[in-house]
Amino acid sequence: MPRHRFNVFGRILDLEPCPTGWRCYAVGQDGKRAPVQLAVPADLPASDLGQYLYDIYHELAAGSRGDVVEISVPGMGDTDRPSRKP
């Protein structure tokens, strides 16, 4: 199952597609994942996940915390790329 990992203003979140839409998990420094209650529209394409996360979590933005960036998932190849348009 494809997984998308994002650095969201310093928080690491994994999103996975599921039959009802998307499941979201917070990833700890130890790599363990915990479910996050985040409603992501079922019809939202993977290409728009970064912008959606930016829109939801923009209040966490601070000078040192950066932006919302899709990052590589271990074992899934490198994707290190910005996920939203400036």
Side-chain angles (χ1 to χ4, degrees):
M1 180 180 304
R3 181 174 10 156
H4 301 273
R5 181 167 286 182
F6 292 87
N7 181 324
V8 181
F9 304 111
R11 276 180 83 181
I12 305 300
L13 297 178
D14 276 353
L15 283 93
E16 296 178 347
C18 67
T20 58
W22 294 92
R23 287 191 184 124
C24 185
Y25 300 91
V27 181
Q29 290 185 357
D30 58 1
K32 292 182 180 177
R33 301 184 325 152
V36 173
Q37 289 188 339
L38 175 65
V40 180
D43 61 346
L44 186 73
S47 61
D48 291 342
L49 287 172
Q51 183 63 51
Y52 183 80
L53 292 171
Y54 184 90
D55 292 344
I56 296 296
Y57 289 107
H58 68 273
E59 68 276 0
L60 297 177
S64 63
R65 288 196 198 139
D67 204 348
V68 175
V69 178
E70 187 166 5
I71 57 177
S72 63
V73 177
M76 300 280 296
D78 292 334
T79 59
D80 296 319
R81 57 187 159 85
S83 59
R84 67 174 188 88
K85 296 179 179 100

